[in-house]
Amino acid sequence: MKVVIIGGVAAGTKAAAKLKRENPGDEIVIYTKGKDISYAGCGLPYYIGGSIETEGELIVNTPRKFMGLTGTEVHTGSEVVAVDPTAKTIQVQGNGIETVSYDKLVIAVGAESSVPPVEGTSLPGVFSVRTPEDAISARKYAVEKACKRAVVVGGGFIGLEVAENLMARGISVTVLDMASQLMPNIFDGEMADYIRRRLQEKGMRILTGTGLNAIGGEEAVSNVQTSTGVLPADMVILAAGIRPATRFLADTGLEMDRGCILTDEYQRTNLPDIYAVGDCCLVRNRITGKPQWSAMGSTANIAGRALALNLGGEETSYQGCLGTGVVRLADNLNAARTGLTEEQAKAAGYQVISALCVTDDKAHYYPDAGMFITKLIADADSHRLLGMQVIGGGAVDKMADIAVVGLSMGSRAEDFITMDFAYAPPFSTAIHPFATACSILVNKMSGRLASFTPAEYASGAAEEYRLIDAHPASTLPGGEWIDLARPEAFAQKHAREEKLLLVCARGKRGYLTQNKLRALGFTNTRVLEGGSTFNTIKKALPVGGKLPPEEIKRVKGLGCLQDKRYGDVFNVRVITRNGKITAEEHRCIAEAAERFGSGEITMTTRLTMEIQGVHYENIDPLIAFLAEHHLETGGTGSLVRPVVSCKGTTCQYGLTDTFDLSGKIHERFYEGYHQVTLPHKFKIAVGGCPNNCVKPDLNDLGIIGQRVPMFDYSKCRGCGKCQVETSCPVKVAKVEDGMLKVDGGACNGCGRCKGKCPFGVTEEYIDGYRIYIGGRWGKKIANGRPLDKLFTSEEEVLDTVERAILFFRDEGITGERFADTVNRLGFDYVQDKLLHAEIDKTAVLEKKVKGGATC
């Protein structure tokens, strides 16, 4: 039997290899238009990011290797352009047109990138991510062009994987999608929204509900024009979707639905002896039995193997897909799903009930323990499990695989509760997290648990409920705290029919509180599923409109400073890169000021921008709005503070590009050390010359551009009027006894004397930087003292800044400024540490430090 296979990636090569093993005597021939076969399509984003280092690692099998292993005949660079089902032939275009006959034909052409129909998609710097060539070109471009800003069009699995990997290369990334959420039809809205918030916290800018209008640029891409504004971009990744590569089959008589070939459970099409498998065809949903497109490498391989068995004479049905998927979204943020979403289950006619819970992913005391956020969807009538979604830092795939088995077997939620899952502290909890999630769902279906889902809460279902804080200690602003150990005291103050929303960190204490209140006769309590860990709690002012001191301290840590004239009004600091922001960011801040504040904006001395007059209840919406536009608030606390600098090279005296250097310091130490607590605040300033306009020597660490003269006194002629002496602004150059003399210790390295001597005394200079440590302004002003070394490169400066921060964290005392640390330990000791000593960065960062800054 001669079996011809069109397509040589996942499904095609899998079917060929298995069929050749089953029937070695069959003639198996693959035609594929690409140069590669059996490549790792799912690994392309990780090649772009560098996790996969070499191009060769993307190729699972070369044509030569595959033919040698399997005995299959492979023709690359051979595009099938026509199929004649009646004659049982295909037309192949390679060096010419060839007609090839078949006994059985397998169509495994896969899918191709769906390029949006807008201008600019062919510009250099615009890439799809479908083939190894795409990934290789994108990575090469990012490196060679030193790309700093990327726009990824599409918020699905591939788009987010590419975004994560571009960020790993140090590129600032914006993801945009036309849908109202990330990963539509993959995750339910509240799960996708949690993922969005987490990714934005990690620095990824996400714009949903945003259409792509055009890609702009002259010789290469420079911007992306969207329905909500223009985004600067050095490169663009198009990951907005794929479509079956089946256009050449339009006149064959094959039954298709929107380009997808229709097949039965044996991969048979409506035409005799023609089969289809992989991304080019529809399969069945294993739960609903309805046709579904499952463009996944796993589906292609599984179905390809089943097809090979069918062709080999062993009738094997592919029983359908569950839409299972898993994705790494960022460091310590993974997500997986399988089965139906809540909306899909409702559309299929089920009486849907869901439960969301937050659990430990392994024994809580184990060093790398994290959490799972699990959402289960079930049929309320039969209790049959219909779907699962999970987010966490660990093995979310294990949770998904357990669900896959249960869904495939038609299991009920109750069936999982007593299953004998593996347990040891490094791997799981004593009661498996999946079993715990099922127990919570069963409690809800049985009525033991009365709750609001996060989606219900977000839609306003709890607006008439009093917020009850069920944390171990008072935590929620505006909430009334209940002591779980003394519920009777709470019961004395409330009517038994009062509507109470019980909110704790994850949901467990809320459930325990509900049980105790029920025993005391309360009839209208609801637990918020996922608690404050998953939900954004809508804050309310306490009675009287006054915020407790601990809440004022908390929001201050977010960069929100209280207007002392009012109890609930704040000025919110927006971090800038040394006062420099884009026109689009200006517009965003202005809109935020109008929507959430008084409409006024001020600049601070640290070159941050403050939105004035923000009422307390508007703080969270304001911060969320800014995050959507890649802006953040902050600049308070025992941390590295926003960096300031003078105008640098735009000043007539400027010796160095202070904007560039301060930008690098901002990125590496304000952003990079944003979660590193120090004994007190740590302020950094960069001055472009010794004029000290931004007072670098009054900061914890100051950097001043230098142009140090290397005088050649042998050329001095002892002029009656010395131009060097005349030009010296600090008057340390003098002619004495017919010769120029300069006090090197008093020279401030301003470089103003460069070229002033007509005989060449002042021609040679060393450009560099002085670093001052231990400065401070405020109530106890202290002038910093320069380190003895002249630093001649930015990398030396950046290394010393980091060493100073680590030294302060390691040897500073809580509550003391860096100036106090220098005075306590002695300048010479600190200088030696910064210039010569070895510093164990890992050990210092692992050390527990309590901050002492109050503003």
Side-chain angles (χ1 to χ4, degrees), residues 405-631:
V405 174
L407 292 173
S408 300
M409 302 297 292
S411 301
R412 302 182 311 149
E414 290 89 340
D415 297 333
F416 295 93
I417 296 174
T418 57
M419 286 187 181
D420 190 12
F421 293 111
Y423 163 65
F427 301 101
S428 184
T429 51
I431 296 179
H432 196 278
F434 194 89
T436 299
C438 288
S439 294
I440 293 169
L441 177 59
V442 170
N443 282 344
K444 187 172 178 178
M445 290 189 291
S446 68
R448 294 188 188 93
L449 168 66
S451 63
F452 282 126
T453 67
E456 290 170 335
Y457 176 70
S459 68
E463 286 183 358
E464 296 181 0
Y465 284 70
R466 178 187 291 271
L467 178 62
I468 304 301
D469 185 351
H471 287 79
S474 180
T475 302
L476 300 178
E480 180 181 350
W481 182 64
I482 180 172
D483 185 348
L484 186 56
R486 300 177 63 246
E488 296 82 4
F490 176 89
Q492 291 175 3
K493 299 182 292 182
H494 295 276
R496 298 305 189 263
E497 66 276 5
E498 188 174 358
K499 294 181 176 180
L500 306 176
L501 178 67
L502 310 176
V503 181
C504 64
R506 296 183 171 188
K508 182 177 180 179
R509 284 182 65 91
Y511 175 56
L512 298 177
T513 302
Q514 184 176 71
N515 286 339
K516 290 197 173 187
L517 291 178
R518 276 180 172 170
L520 294 172
F522 285 84
T523 58
N524 273 325
T525 63
R526 294 287 190 103
V527 176
L528 179 58
E529 297 175 19
S532 59
T533 298
F534 183 83
N535 299 274
T536 300
I537 306 301
K538 301 170 185 176
K539 298 175 177 63
L541 279 176
V543 177
K546 291 185 178 181
L547 293 166
E550 60 269 18
E551 178 60 10
I552 294 174
K553 180 179 179 181
R554 186 190 71 84
V555 298
K556 182 186 289 185
L558 300 175
C560 310
L561 305 180
Q562 187 181 26
D563 187 324
K564 299 302 188 295
R565 297 170 296 174
Y566 311 101
D568 64 340
V569 177
F570 293 78
N571 298 333
V572 181
R573 289 182 176 178
V574 184
I575 302 303
T576 67
R577 296 168 297 281
N578 191 24
K580 183 187 289 187
I581 58 176
T582 66
E584 182 192 358
E585 290 169 335
H586 266 295
R587 286 189 288 269
C588 168
I589 294 171
E591 182 180 350
E594 290 180 341
R595 289 177 59 178
F596 304 104
S598 66
E600 296 177 317
I601 302 169
T602 62
M603 290 295 297
T604 72
T605 55
R606 300 300 296 179
L607 298 181
T608 58
M609 300 182 76
E610 270 192 12
I611 296 175
Q612 304 290 292
V614 180
H615 284 269
Y616 174 72
E617 63 269 20
N618 286 334
I619 288 176
D620 285 345
L622 167 62
I623 292 175
F625 177 81
L626 292 171
E628 290 176 2
H629 294 80
H630 210 46
L631 292 165

Side-chain angles (χ1 to χ4, degrees), residues 822-842:
V822 174
N823 289 335
R824 176 171 56 83
L825 298 175
F827 177 84
D828 291 338
Y829 173 84
V830 176
Q831 175 170 244
D832 182 65
K833 284 282 190 177
L834 299 187
L835 297 183
H836 307 298
E838 290 188 7
I839 296 179
D840 188 338
K841 179 177 177 179
T842 301

Side-chain angles (χ1 to χ4, degrees), residues 646-649 653-656 658 686-690 694 696 703-706:
C646 67
K647 297 192 296 181
T649 53
Y653 304 120
L655 303 176
T656 182
T658 55
V686 183
C689 77
V694 293
I703 301 159
I704 298 176
Q706 297 279 284

Side-chain angles (χ1 to χ4, degrees), residues 89-157:
T89 60
I90 60 173
Q91 298 288 315
V92 183
Q93 182 173 334
N95 295 326
I97 295 291
E98 178 186 5
T99 299
V100 178
S101 63
Y102 64 83
D103 295 318
K104 305 284 185 182
L105 178 66
V106 175
I107 301 171
V109 290
E112 58 192 2
S113 295
S114 180
V115 178
V118 300
E119 293 183 5
T121 55
S122 61
L123 281 169
V126 181
F127 303 94
S128 297
V129 187
R130 191 62 186 168
T131 67
E133 289 84 357
D134 295 331
I136 292 166
S137 299
R139 174 164 144 179
K140 182 180 179 181
Y141 191 90
V143 173
E144 291 183 350
K145 303 297 182 181
C147 294
K148 298 296 183 184
R149 300 165 300 187
V151 173
V152 176
V153 182
F157 276 3

